[in-house]
């Protein structure tokens, strides 16, 4: 509920702001379902940005945090099932492409060097 107020106040103070999306991958290996999920998550980001009136010159690119490929968790909290490399890649490429097309800025991929994905 504080997004609009905090965004405006930070920028009025000269602080650059940005949006961050933590990827939650779907439990499927069907390409059409993977694409649909990535598009739905990207659309939520677009709607959130629209809710504050869009981006300004003081907004950084949208960041996609992609560092967890667990799609099914055991009751103990450990991961029971991981998304395949091709699933992660298709999901990430779709999400990033949608954000770029709908927001008009190239997004950032945030991950780590040992994460097993090939994006662009």
């Amino acid at each position: 509920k504080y997004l609009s107020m905090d965004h405006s106040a930070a920028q009025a103070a000269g602080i650059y702001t940005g949006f961050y999306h933590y990827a939650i991958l779907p439990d499927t290996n069907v390409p059409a379902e993977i694409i649909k999920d990535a598009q739905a998550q990207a659309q939520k980001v677009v709607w959130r940005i629209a809710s504050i009136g869009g981006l300004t010159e003081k907004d950084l690119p949208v960041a996609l945090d992609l560092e967890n490929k667990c799609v099914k968790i055991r009751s103990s909290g450990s991961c029971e099932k991981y998304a395949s490399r091709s699933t992660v890649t298709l999901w990430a490429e779709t999400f990033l492409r949608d954000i770029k097309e709908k927001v008009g800025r190239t997004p950032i991929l945030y991950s780590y060097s040992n994460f097993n994905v090939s994006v662009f």
Side-chain angles (χ1 to χ4, degrees), residues 3-18 52 56-59:
L3 174 63
S4 182
M5 182 176 63
D6 290 348
H7 181 256
S8 296
Q11 290 192 352
I15 299 170
Y16 283 78
T17 56
I52 60 160
T56 73
E57 68 282 348
K58 287 189 179 176
D59 279 306

Side-chain angles (χ1 to χ4, degrees), residues 38-108:
Q39 290 171 330
Q41 288 191 49
Q43 186 60 51
K44 288 179 183 181
V45 172
V46 171
W47 286 334
R48 182 63 60 148
I49 291 169
S51 78
I52 60 160
L55 299 177
T56 73
E57 68 282 348
K58 287 189 179 176
D59 279 306
L60 301 170
V62 172
L64 171 61
D65 182 354
L66 184 57
E67 55 183 310
N68 183 354
K69 58 183 180 174
C70 183
V71 295
K72 188 173 183 184
I73 300 174
R74 292 183 183 99
S75 59
S76 66
S78 64
C79 187
E80 182 175 331
K81 182 179 176 187
Y82 293 94
S84 68
R85 183 178 185 155
S86 62
T87 294
V88 176
T89 300
L90 177 59
W91 191 97
E93 287 178 344
T94 301
F95 180 93
L96 294 167
R97 189 178 312 108
D98 269 26
I99 291 295
K100 184 174 182 178
E101 288 173 4
K102 293 177 180 179
V103 175
R105 296 187 189 178
T106 301
I108 295 170

